[in-house]
Amino acid sequence: MRTSTHPFVTLPEFPLREDEPLARGFLALGLGSFEAAARHVWSLPHGRNSDPTDFRLVLPEGRGTSGTKHALLAALARAHGQPVELTLGIYEMHERNTPGVGALLEREGLSGIPEAHCYLVVRHQRRVDLTREEPASESTAALACFFEEGPLAPEDLGAPLEERLRAFVRNWAKKRGLDAERVWRTREACRAALGR
């Protein structure tokens, strides 16, 4: 049973308004506050949505990724005028922080590869990651060391997020004398392996 409360206390606490379209889905579930909404989203299983760019599918499909789950909560907070921002962090994915990718990376001669992870930042200073087994605050567990971090609009989960990551991969690969397309294909293969 998930009982940790620490990250939830760093989130702003406010009631959800019935006039906000995003709030209605939570209110229909009997969840009347942002904290209750965040706890519910955290409890949902990890899984890609039928449209991975549409965070509005998290509730009806009962699952989400770091992108869709956090984008939904960031959009909900934004609709209520609260200081919660969706943030994109690019980190080095390897077997230690992402079990299941080691064999693929080794086959390609790589010890790690750039990957994106989304989380919330509260009041421009506190990280909150609600996609971990235990919710993480401040250091997002093994992902605490990011190559780069920056805000991302919830509506930018598709092409804008991918282009930011592709640009990073191109520079990362170039600095190491690697073929950027091969690195990208390896990243895609790792993601596919994790999805099985």
Side-chain angles (χ1 to χ4, degrees):
M1 177 97 183
R2 297 170 171 175
T3 57
S4 178
T5 59
H6 176 64
F8 297 108
V9 301
T10 67
L11 292 172
E13 180 55 27
F14 56 90
L16 301 183
R17 295 194 326 257
E18 291 180 16
D19 65 327
E20 282 300 335
L22 282 177
R24 290 184 193 130
F26 290 103
L27 291 167
L29 296 171
L31 306 168
S33 70
F34 186 69
E35 180 182 351
R39 285 181 183 278
H40 179 74
V41 169
W42 168 60
S43 74
L44 296 174
H46 183 276
R48 287 191 109 176
N49 299 101
S50 57
D51 178 351
T53 68
D54 188 355
F55 60 84
R56 291 168 191 85
L57 295 175
V58 169
L59 289 183
E61 294 184 356
R63 67 179 181 276
T65 62
S66 73
T68 55
K69 285 183 171 189
H70 289 116
L72 174 61
L73 293 172
L76 181 65
R78 180 181 65 191
H80 288 81
Q82 297 294 321
V84 178
E85 191 169 63
L86 178 64
T87 302
L88 171 68
I90 300 176
Y91 69 101
E92 185 175 24
M93 175 172 62
H94 45 68
E95 182 65 25
R96 291 181 310 284
N97 62 19
T98 313
V101 302
L104 277 166
L105 292 173
E106 187 176 327
R107 189 171 62 229
E108 293 296 324
L110 298 166
S111 60
I113 198 165
E115 177 58 309
H117 184 68
C118 292
Y119 47 93
L120 301 174
V121 171
V122 180
R123 295 177 187 88
H124 305 289
Q125 59 189 357
R126 308 236 355 142
R127 288 183 190 150
V128 178
D129 185 353
L130 298 175
T131 55
R132 302 273 158 217
E133 182 64 29
E134 284 298 319
S137 181
E138 277 312 291
S139 87
T140 56
L143 306 180
C145 183
F146 291 100
F147 293 125
E148 76 179 40
E149 299 176 85
L152 182 70
E155 298 78 16
D156 287 346
L157 287 182
L161 183 154
E162 183 173 320
E163 185 45 45
R164 280 173 63 178
L165 183 56
R166 276 188 179 271
F168 186 90
V169 167
R170 281 192 296 270
N171 291 333
W172 184 89
K174 183 178 180 181
K175 287 178 184 175
R176 290 159 179 76
L178 300 170
D179 177 354
E181 283 306 309
R182 183 177 142 251
V183 171
W184 188 263
R185 284 191 306 272
T186 303
R187 176 197 167 268
E188 290 295 302
C190 287
R191 290 178 59 87
L194 293 171
R196 287 197 280 273

